[in-house]
Amino acid sequence: MLLFKQVLPFQKHISKLKKEGKKIGFVPTMGALHQGHVSLIRQSLKDTDCTVSSIFVNPTQFNDPSDLQKYPRTPEKDLAELLNTGNQVLFMPDVTEVYPPSKKLKLDLDFGYLDQPMEGAHRPGHFAGVAQVVKRLIEIVKPHYLYMGQKDFQQFTIIQHMLNELKSPVKLIVCPIIRESDGLAMSSRNVLLTPQQRSLAPAIHQALQDAKMKIHAQFPRQIEAEALSQLSAQGLQPEYFSIVEGRTLRPVELFEETDFAVACTAVKIGNVRLIDNMILKEE
Ligand code: PAF
């Protein structure tokens, strides 16, 4: 595996590969890699000639400085995981490479309603930071394919919107959520849970599954209310449990009125904030 920390030599290498006709797949990450990331890399390895991953904990997407500070960082373990998976190129820049003072990198993109609800409401400025860094990274890498996980449903929806608005040739591939055997969605933040908190965490997936079971019998708002009570009763602190239309992220009023309904939730267990989602209906 080749490791680059600086933009110029990295770009030189990628443009050489592209001149040779190689298809490039890109997996952006913030490190603390888990099997969810590995699944993205594996998909890229299947689809492309060269898989490039990046590890960059992007400060601009953290609205809470203490969240940035405690974000897990496991560089040695990550390198071993990448080598083991067969990732070919790693880009691991520092902040000044990604955000050189000379470059105007502020994004003036309007996400319409997409960044308003859910994560957008609870983490002000988060998606502006995510879009800024993904735009910058794909400008550097210029991949053919970009791989993201379904776990961050609102994130990939916004990134797809950005790619459309920028008329970018990059094709976004969204890969399924990877779960632990008890249903907990894989996340870099899971390592922050104490054993007692970890034992509560499968309740999130359970609430999503229970919601799915109810779609033929109840209205979305009722299901949301019950999911919130269920999570609270189990000792978790849900921030939201929202049943939304999968393309617009607007609340679903009646399941019959949409062919694509998704339940998205954010839950705090102690100080650890986890998100998850489940497609309830897709035709
Ligand atoms: O999903 C993440 O890990 C991050 O938001 C991303 C896409 C790598 C941007 O920093």
Side-chain angles (χ1 to χ4, degrees), residues 92-265:
M92 213 160 81
D94 67 19
V95 177
T96 51
E97 283 294 307
V98 178
Y99 300 124
S102 56
K103 270 200 187 301
K104 181 197 168 280
L105 293 162
K106 196 110 187 66
L107 242 190
D108 292 322
L109 265 187
D110 181 9
F111 301 117
Y113 182 72
L114 296 178
D115 68 345
Q116 302 301 305
M118 305 191 290
E119 292 304 285
H122 289 267
R123 301 183 69 190
H126 169 65
F127 287 121
V130 171
Q132 178 188 38
V133 77
V134 173
K135 177 169 180 281
R136 171 77 176 131
L137 289 171
I138 60 177
E139 270 166 14
I140 295 172
V141 183
K142 298 191 177 58
H144 296 90
Y145 297 98
L146 169 67
Y147 294 85
M148 300 187 107
Q150 187 207 309
K151 188 174 82 72
D152 296 282
F153 198 93
Q154 192 170 10
Q155 168 170 278
F156 83 70
T157 305
I158 285 172
I159 295 301
Q160 183 60 72
H161 174 84
M162 178 184 85
L163 295 172
N164 297 345
E165 290 289 298
L166 298 172
K167 301 194 177 17
S168 167
V170 176
K171 187 167 163 35
L172 175 63
I173 312 282
V174 179
C175 299
I177 300 175
I178 306 294
R179 298 183 180 279
E180 302 283 357
S181 56
D182 61 8
L184 176 64
M186 300 245 180
S187 161
S188 301
R189 293 176 192 268
N190 291 353
V191 297
L192 301 172
L193 296 165
T194 64
Q196 199 265 338
Q197 292 169 338
R198 175 65 187 80
S199 71
L200 299 177
I204 304 172
H205 180 237
Q206 189 60 53
L208 290 164
Q209 275 186 315
D210 292 350
K212 189 165 184 165
M213 298 289 288
K214 295 177 187 168
I215 68 165
H216 298 294
Q218 286 178 229
F219 294 112
R221 293 297 84 73
Q222 276 175 302
I223 300 176
E224 289 172 356
E226 287 182 9
L228 290 170
S229 322
Q230 178 177 334
L231 287 163
S232 305
Q234 282 166 311
L236 295 86
Q237 301 105 52
E239 282 188 359
Y240 63 82
F241 189 103
S242 303
I243 298 179
V244 299
E245 206 283 325
R247 284 168 284 261
T248 62
L249 306 186
R250 292 202 180 262
V252 171
E253 300 304 334
L254 288 174
F255 287 111
E256 299 73 42
E257 284 175 1
T258 180
D259 58 2
F260 190 16
V262 189
C264 299
T265 187

